[in-house]
Amino acid sequence: MNSSRPYLIRALYEWIVDNDCTPHLLVNAEYPNVQVPPGFANDGQIVLNVSPSAVRHLHMDNDAVSFEGRFGGIAHTLFIPAPAVLAIYARENGQGMVFDLESPVADEEPEDDPDGDGPSGSEPPRPSGRPSLKVVK
């Protein structure tokens, strides 16, 4: 099956914009083929305002998100492969979705787990410094 991530990104983007909020993407800037302006990422991640008023030529498909945006007054073309999107959320209230980290090559077995059994605990391991969002009601 195809990854559900690009479909969820598009649906949540539309939902956030329809509710007059500002959609933001949290992106793994170190993922292969990510094109973001140098010097704007912190700890290998960058938050991008992708509201209709902030970007031009926004295109979202099953492979990537691409658009033109301005950073420090300079126009840049950005290209974000779908697996590099770590979260999409509304700036005003934080509502949205966080995605699991995806390895660049999905068909390869992880080298950390030689027996292939996966994690033994009830909670999946979280890398340190990984962002997380909570649902607050």
Side-chain angles (χ1 to χ4, degrees), residues 14-93:
E14 186 174 331
W15 175 69
I16 291 167
V17 171
D18 284 352
N19 283 283
D20 296 321
C21 291
T22 310
H24 279 68
L25 295 178
L26 175 63
V27 175
N28 176 356
E30 297 173 345
Y31 194 88
N33 300 321
V34 167
Q35 295 174 7
V36 295
F40 288 91
N42 290 326
D43 296 326
Q45 299 177 345
I46 187 169
V47 175
L48 302 169
N49 176 350
V50 288
S51 67
S53 62
V55 301
R56 293 179 47 165
H57 308 298
L58 177 66
H59 180 73
M60 296 182 184
D61 61 23
N62 289 351
D63 297 320
V65 177
S66 61
F67 58 91
E68 292 177 11
R70 297 184 74 78
F71 292 81
I74 301 170
H76 292 272
T77 299
L78 287 82
F79 181 83
I80 298 106
V85 176
L86 300 175
I88 180 169
Y89 62 94
R91 178 184 67 198
E92 291 78 3
N93 57 22

